[in-house]
Amino acid sequence: DSGVTQTPKHLITATGQRVTLRCSPRSGDLSVYWYQQSLDQGLQFLIQYYNGEERAKGNILERFSAQQFPDLHSELNLSSLELGDSALYFCASSVTGQMNTEAFFGQGTRLTVV
Amino acid sequence: DQQVKQNSPSLSVQEGRISILNCDYTNSMFDYFLWYKKYPAEGPTFLISISSIKDKNEDGRFTVFLNKSAKHLSLHIVPSQPGDSAVYFCAASATRETSYGKLTFGQGTILTVHP
């Protein structure tokens, strides 16, 4: 158990819908990262928050948004869903803003868009 | 644009032998490299890392080698054990960039260690 909690574990929804994925970081970790893993792909960096503020942005679509709340949990909002958005979405957390040995991943949320 | 590539989708090894997983990168700004291991239904777990100022880092059965001129790194597992069977991801970071929190991952290599 990495200490990073992601909910829900599985999500099936229809095209055009909107979903929210939730991540609770490890106790004491200030930084949250979101990654997307599509079929047969490596993990693609989406966005990073550090202590409530956006720190870094990757290839995140405009239809996607995220935020980190005062209690440090984070939510990733995906809207106008398309079939191609089906993927595993991972959240990771670390104490610092650096994604290195200190980062711990959650189990992921598997999103299926039908 | 695949900046980190793991060209072998899978590798099969006998228990007790050496496993060698390879990774190539194209971005010369990358200066920190990591290997993650992932079991089914779990998130990736950090395994070992290496900074570009080194060419080798060892941790128990795991050794990572970095060849900067070839933009190539490899993970050696000796001896391999059945419990090492997992997907191994290579990742790289450009710590001098403003988006230093970002890791770029390879596609992963499925390692199977047979008893």
Side-chain angles (χ1 to χ4, degrees):
Chain A
D1 184 2
S2 66
V4 178
T5 304
Q6 288 188 248
T7 57
K9 285 191 172 54
H10 302 275
L11 196 51
I12 301 176
T13 189
T15 54
Q17 295 298 305
R18 173 190 167 94
V19 298
T20 298
L21 312 184
R22 182 188 169 103
C23 170
S24 294
R26 289 191 325 150
S27 177
D29 284 0
L30 300 178
S31 207
V32 169
Y33 312 80
W34 286 98
Y35 280 80
Q36 178 193 54
Q37 184 185 17
S38 302
L39 192 64
D40 295 332
Q41 298 282 325
L43 284 78
Q44 303 289 323
F45 172 71
L46 294 178
I47 198 164
Q48 176 199 2
Y49 279 83
Y50 180 78
N51 204 21
E53 293 191 2
E54 183 182 303
R55 174 65 69 93
K57 215 167 188 175
N59 298 324
I60 186 167
L61 299 172
E62 284 191 12
R63 301 183 285 110
F64 296 1
S65 65
Q67 54 183 326
Q68 186 179 29
F69 294 87
D71 66 353
L72 301 177
H73 91 272
S74 178
E75 292 180 355
L76 179 67
N77 300 297
L78 316 176
S79 62
S80 303
L81 284 167
E82 302 175 359
L83 295 177
D85 297 327
S86 296
L88 261 173
Y89 291 85
F90 286 104
C91 166
S93 74
S94 67
V95 172
T96 70
Q98 288 276 8
M99 180 85 183
N100 52 21
T101 62
E102 303 166 324
F104 295 83
F105 279 84
Q107 290 185 314
T109 294
R110 181 172 293 281
L111 173 67
T112 303
V113 182
V114 297
Chain B
D1 177 21
Q2 194 76 31
Q3 297 186 56
V4 177
K5 292 182 184 178
Q6 294 175 254
N7 292 317
S8 298
S10 63
L11 175 67
S12 184
V13 171
Q14 205 68 29
E15 181 178 7
R17 308 294 286 267
I18 184 171
S19 295
I20 300 176
L21 297 105
N22 294 302
C23 177
D24 296 297
Y25 63 95
T26 57
N27 189 340
S28 58
M29 294 297 291
F30 288 149
D31 58 357
Y32 194 78
F33 304 89
L34 306 88
W35 284 93
Y36 280 81
K37 180 169 73 172
K38 184 182 179 305
Y39 293 118
E42 293 184 13
T45 302
F46 168 76
L47 199 54
I48 192 169
S49 64
I50 187 167
S51 165
S52 60
I53 62 173
K54 294 184 174 182
D55 55 18
K56 176 183 173 182
N57 189 27
E58 195 171 348
D59 183 2
R61 297 185 297 114
F62 303 91
T63 303
V64 56
F65 295 91
L66 175 63
N67 182 333
K68 287 192 295 289
S69 60
K71 292 190 175 68
H72 177 84
L73 63 155
S74 60
L75 174 67
H76 293 211
I77 306 174
V78 185
S80 301
Q81 299 173 355
D84 295 330
S85 297
V87 180
Y88 288 79
F89 289 99
C90 167
S93 174
T95 61
R96 288 185 295 272
E97 287 187 351
T98 55
S99 58
Y100 55 78
K102 170 185 172 180
L103 279 181
T104 301
F105 283 83
Q107 308 96 306
T109 296
I110 301 170
L111 173 65
T112 304
V113 180
H114 298 283

